[in-house]
Amino acid sequence: MDVPALAPAAPRSAPSARHCGLRGFSLVELLVVMSLLVVVSLLLLPGMTDFTARNRLVAVEADLAASLALARSEAAHRGLPVLLVAASGGSTGNAYAGGWRLVLDSNRNGSADSGETELRVREAIGRDLTLDGSSPVRLAATGYLDPATAKTFTLCARGISRGVSLTVTPTGQTDSASITTCS
């Protein structure tokens, strides 16, 4: 049986001139691209901060409006007053910083006592937002505010002048409007 002989291996030659430029990026090219990415990021960062702050405003506004709608509905459904109470941790000008609670006022005394049913608890809203308004807000068994005086909540984000004013009408419905008086 004849086995063909292997041809001797060709000697390795130096890379040809046409392959020298195809090895990758040079350090200068890499530094130029990185510096462009840094510049673009620095230009977009302030806009993103403003964008996220506005999104958080809208989310907290929607959560507060939903809580008030639930309070109105539960008051009418159960035939008992429901209170929207600022959770602990708030401060002057930011009463609802610690969040809020919806409490079924089963003894009808106008305050959230221990042992009364909590319908919803909202955690703290975060340090970048302020939410102020009167506490407690009492919705009577009819679903209307008691006393029948409109209540206004002011929601602002730190660092931007725009915010939201949420008004609870005497009928217990909510109305929101954009404001530009945040500091």
Side-chain angles (χ1 to χ4, degrees):
M1 173 181 277
D2 288 329
V3 177
L6 294 176
R12 291 192 175 202
S13 61
S16 64
R18 66 182 185 133
H19 292 297
C20 285
L22 298 177
R23 294 227 164 190
F25 300 108
S26 69
L27 182 60
V28 173
E29 291 170 329
L30 187 61
L31 289 174
V32 167
V33 169
M34 293 297 288
S35 62
L36 286 173
L37 285 174
V38 167
V39 169
V40 169
S41 297
L42 290 175
L43 290 174
L44 294 178
L45 188 62
M48 285 302 293
T49 303
D50 203 36
F51 175 75
T52 56
R54 281 183 274 137
N55 279 348
R56 290 200 19 87
L57 274 174
V58 169
V60 172
E61 173 196 5
D63 200 14
L64 180 59
S67 292
L68 287 162
L70 176 66
R72 182 175 187 236
S73 171
E74 287 295 315
H77 175 73
R78 297 180 186 224
L80 290 170
V82 175
L83 305 171
L84 175 78
V85 182
S88 62
S91 60
T92 303
N94 195 9
Y96 288 85
W100 59 83
R101 300 180 300 137
L102 288 182
V103 180
L104 189 63
D105 190 15
S106 54
N107 60 9
R108 301 173 190 251
N109 68 351
S111 65
D113 300 318
S114 63
E116 291 184 318
T117 305
E118 288 186 339
L119 302 172
R120 178 178 284 178
V121 176
R122 170 58 157 90
E123 72 278 356
I125 61 172
R127 288 189 272 184
D128 58 334
L129 297 177
T130 61
L131 177 59
D132 199 28
S134 59
S135 178
V137 174
R138 184 173 192 256
L139 290 132
T142 58
Y144 288 16
L145 280 180
D146 183 24
T149 305
K151 307 284 185 183
T152 301
F153 295 89
T154 305
L155 177 61
C156 294
R158 298 185 197 279
I160 62 174
S161 61
R162 292 179 303 237
V164 176
S165 173
L166 187 84
T167 302
V168 185
T169 65
T171 60
Q173 297 175 330
T174 58
D175 183 34
S176 64
S178 295
I179 57 173
T180 57
T181 55
C182 296
S183 56

